[in-house]
């Protein structure tokens, strides 16, 4: 899922300073699961903004809502009538949702979150980056453990010399060396022979570094 | 409810109490004929683990001046860790209150057992004195824009 953090309330209040009618719109997908922008977080955010504005002696009218997926017009459309009555929308979606609403509506769409990474739920309340979305997956060769996302140096051919005796990374002491995890996993799968193959330099043109935003087109699915 | 105003201010307090300890302790305080301030209104929870940040913020939004959350003694939760979770939620909400511009002392977590009727009366006194000293929650806003406060307190 896409993992995001809420911005500090002070920053959000600053963004909203000149508006009196605001829709606080959450997203019930990824950011709901990572407890940053779902229905519950919308309630807490709206309540916090009302209290803060009351403390400042400045009135604000807040409408609350949460779209199924803000990254899809279809799910934002039911809110169109409400959105058009506002001075601004505070979006609790990832950056994709903010972009999507901005393309569709003529009023300011303000981000309440800092979008961070693609992550897994490590345990309740902890999310970890495990995929970098580089556009050229090699997980079949690395036992399902991504060295691009999980190695601090994005190495493709085994660990660097900085791995510590306890198997952690020299860059981050609490980070397990991705290449030790890969070795252990390939040993478990009885495929250590994969490590004998030298991986060529990665083609980064499939990554965002290849130049600007990426696009996926499926002609057969288009209407 | 006590009057809310700048002079002779009597705070309005809400206590979110665990069914198994604080709520029973409040009941015991009554049975023991202990006096505690009438400022405190009790809301019973099945366990403080049911507590949500939104409950706390909504209480302040509807015009309460202080909130106390009372759960079981550590290690005695009927549901093992509900009180420990509630304590962390209260701490996180105290941080949020600070960012909102509300004194975090208006919110406090207490641990007590069902046998501590005296302790319940004592914390009710303690919170009443504390919030009385802090003054009405929205007094700054009240001075700047009374209409906004009246509307929001609904």
């Amino acid at each position: 899922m896409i993992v995001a953090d809420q911005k500090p309330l002070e920053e959000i209040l600053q963004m909203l300073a000149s508006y009196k009618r605001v829709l606080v719109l959450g997203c019930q997908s990824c950011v709901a699961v990572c407890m940053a922008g779902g229905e519950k977080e919308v309630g807490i955010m709206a309540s916090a903004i009302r209290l803060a504005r009351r403390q400042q002696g400045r009135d604000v009218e807040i409408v609350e809502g949460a779209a199924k997926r803000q990254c899809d017009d279809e799910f934002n459309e039911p809110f169109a009538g409400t959105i058009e009555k506002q001075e601004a929308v505070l979006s609790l979606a990832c950056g994709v949702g903010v972009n999507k609403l901005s393309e569709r509506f003529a009023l300011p769409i303000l981000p309440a979150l800092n979008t961070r990474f693609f992550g897994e739920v490590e345990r309740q309340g902890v999310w970890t980056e495990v995929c970098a979305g580089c556009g050229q997956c090699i997980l079949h060769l690395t036992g399902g453990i991504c060295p691009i996302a999980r190695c601090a140096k994005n190495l493709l051919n085994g660990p660097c010399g900085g791995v510590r005796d306890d198997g952690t990374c020299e860059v981050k002491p609490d980070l397990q060396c991705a290449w030790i995890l890969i070795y252990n996993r390939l040993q478990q799968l009885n495929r250590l022979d994969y490590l004998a193959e030298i991986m060529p330099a990665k083609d980064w043109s499939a990554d965002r570094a290849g130049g600007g935003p990426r696009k996926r087109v499926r002609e057969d699915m288009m209407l | 409810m006590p009057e809310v105003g700048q002079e002779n201010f009597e705070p309005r307090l809400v206590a979110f109490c665990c069914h198994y300890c604080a709520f029973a302790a409040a009941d015991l305080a009554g049975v023991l004929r202990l006096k505690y301030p009438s400022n405190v209104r009790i809301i019973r929870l099945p366990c403080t683990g049911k507590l949500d940040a939104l409950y706390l913020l909504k209480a302040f939004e509807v015009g309460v001046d202080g909130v106390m959350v009372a759960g079981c003694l550590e290690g005695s939760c009927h549901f093992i860790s509900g009180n420990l979770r509630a304590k962390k939620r209260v701490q996180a909400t105290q941080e949020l209150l600070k960012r909102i511009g509300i004194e975090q002392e208006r919110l406090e977590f207490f641990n007590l057992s069902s046998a501590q009727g005296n302790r319940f009366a004592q914390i009710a006194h303690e919170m009443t004195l504390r919030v009385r000293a802090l003054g009405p929650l929205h007094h700054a806003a009240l001075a700047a824009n009374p209409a906004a406060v009246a509307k929001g307190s609904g």
Side-chain angles (χ1 to χ4, degrees), chain B residues 91-109:
Chain B
Q91 284 167 351
T93 309
Q94 284 174 327
E95 281 302 308
L96 182 58
L97 287 178
K98 206 158 62 176
R99 289 177 179 277
I100 288 171
I102 292 176
E103 303 91 343
Q104 64 182 47
E105 294 79 11
R106 291 183 186 274
L107 171 64
E108 196 61 83
F109 186 86

Side-chain angles (χ1 to χ4, degrees), chain A residues 118-152:
Chain A
F118 303 146
E120 64 171 15
V121 180
E122 189 177 309
R123 57 181 191 275
Q124 170 91 6
V126 180
W127 298 270
T128 309
E129 183 172 22
V130 288
C131 172
C134 70
Q136 198 189 46
C137 195
I138 52 166
L139 286 168
H140 57 299
L141 301 172
T142 58
I145 293 162
C146 179
I148 303 298
R150 299 173 71 170
C151 166

Side-chain angles (χ1 to χ4, degrees), chain A residues 110-179:
Chain A
L110 310 168
L113 306 184
N114 289 323
T115 307
R116 301 278 306 281
F117 52 80
F118 303 146
E120 64 171 15
V121 180
E122 189 177 309
R123 57 181 191 275
Q124 170 91 6
V126 180
W127 298 270
T128 309
E129 183 172 22
V130 288
C131 172
C134 70
Q136 198 189 46
C137 195
I138 52 166
L139 286 168
H140 57 299
L141 301 172
T142 58
I145 293 162
C146 179
I148 303 298
R150 299 173 71 170
C151 166
K153 301 176 185 177
N154 317 131
L155 295 181
L156 284 170
N157 289 288
C160 66
V163 59
R164 296 164 200 253
D165 289 345
D166 63 355
T168 56
C169 172
E170 68 172 348
V171 177
K172 285 185 178 174
D174 60 343
L175 180 69
Q176 283 291 307
C177 170
W179 275 102

Side-chain angles (χ1 to χ4, degrees), chain B residues 88-151:
Chain B
K88 286 197 277 188
R89 287 172 201 158
V90 167
Q91 284 167 351
T93 309
Q94 284 174 327
E95 281 302 308
L96 182 58
L97 287 178
K98 206 158 62 176
R99 289 177 179 277
I100 288 171
I102 292 176
E103 303 91 343
Q104 64 182 47
E105 294 79 11
R106 291 183 186 274
L107 171 64
E108 196 61 83
F109 186 86
F110 298 95
N111 296 98
L112 71 171
S113 82
S114 58
Q116 292 179 301
N118 274 311
R119 167 99 175 119
F120 183 87
Q122 183 198 336
I123 62 175
H125 274 293
E126 195 181 309
M127 276 302 281
T128 305
L129 286 175
R130 185 196 292 188
V131 178
R132 193 182 284 146
L134 287 170
L137 174 57
H138 299 299
H139 66 282
L142 198 67
N145 185 356
V149 176
K151 194 170 183 178

Side-chain angles (χ1 to χ4, degrees), chain A residues 2-223:
Chain A
I2 293 173
V3 178
D5 277 334
Q6 282 191 359
K7 285 178 176 289
L9 186 65
E10 294 87 339
E11 191 181 337
I12 291 169
L13 292 172
Q14 182 72 33
M15 283 192 272
L16 294 174
S18 59
Y19 304 113
K20 288 186 174 176
R21 286 195 317 280
V22 177
L23 168 67
V24 177
L25 188 64
C27 179
Q28 295 179 41
S29 299
C30 313
V31 292
V33 180
C34 70
M35 301 175 185
E39 262 180 306
K40 179 173 276 190
E41 289 75 29
V42 164
I44 293 170
M45 176 66 72
S47 191
I49 294 167
R50 276 192 292 264
L51 278 166
R53 287 286 284 263
R54 201 184 300 168
Q55 284 300 95
Q56 296 165 2
R58 296 166 58 235
D59 208 358
V60 62
E61 278 178 40
I62 293 183
V63 184
E64 301 171 30
K68 283 272 182 214
R69 291 202 301 267
Q70 264 190 45
C71 53
D72 194 333
D73 276 338
E74 185 180 346
F75 297 103
N76 293 330
E77 216 44 43
F79 294 94
T82 311
I83 290 173
E84 279 153 11
K85 289 182 196 142
Q86 313 303 318
E87 292 176 349
V89 175
L90 180 70
S91 167
L92 271 76
C94 69
V96 182
V98 179
N99 276 269
K100 196 67 191 158
L101 289 174
S102 297
E103 285 166 13
R104 167 70 180 79
F105 298 100
L107 73 171
I109 313 292
L110 310 168
L113 306 184
N114 289 323
T115 307
R116 301 278 306 281
F117 52 80
F118 303 146
E120 64 171 15
V121 180
E122 189 177 309
R123 57 181 191 275
Q124 170 91 6
V126 180
W127 298 270
T128 309
E129 183 172 22
V130 288
C131 172
C134 70
Q136 198 189 46
C137 195
I138 52 166
L139 286 168
H140 57 299
L141 301 172
T142 58
I145 293 162
C146 179
I148 303 298
R150 299 173 71 170
C151 166
K153 301 176 185 177
N154 317 131
L155 295 181
L156 284 170
N157 289 288
C160 66
V163 59
R164 296 164 200 253
D165 289 345
D166 63 355
T168 56
C169 172
E170 68 172 348
V171 177
K172 285 185 178 174
D174 60 343
L175 180 69
Q176 283 291 307
C177 170
W179 275 102
I180 289 186
L181 296 176
I182 290 168
Y183 180 89
N184 292 340
R185 175 69 176 152
L186 289 177
Q187 191 172 44
Q188 181 191 40
L189 297 173
N190 204 23
R191 291 315 307 250
L192 282 176
D193 55 301
Y194 284 175
L195 294 175
E197 298 288 326
I198 304 294
M199 274 199 231
K202 190 174 171 63
D203 174 8
W204 287 100
S205 66
D207 183 80
R208 199 185 171 281
R214 292 169 286 181
K215 184 175 283 205
R216 176 173 179 251
V217 180
R218 279 273 308 264
E219 289 285 350
D220 58 324
M221 296 305 289
M222 289 168 78
L223 298 176

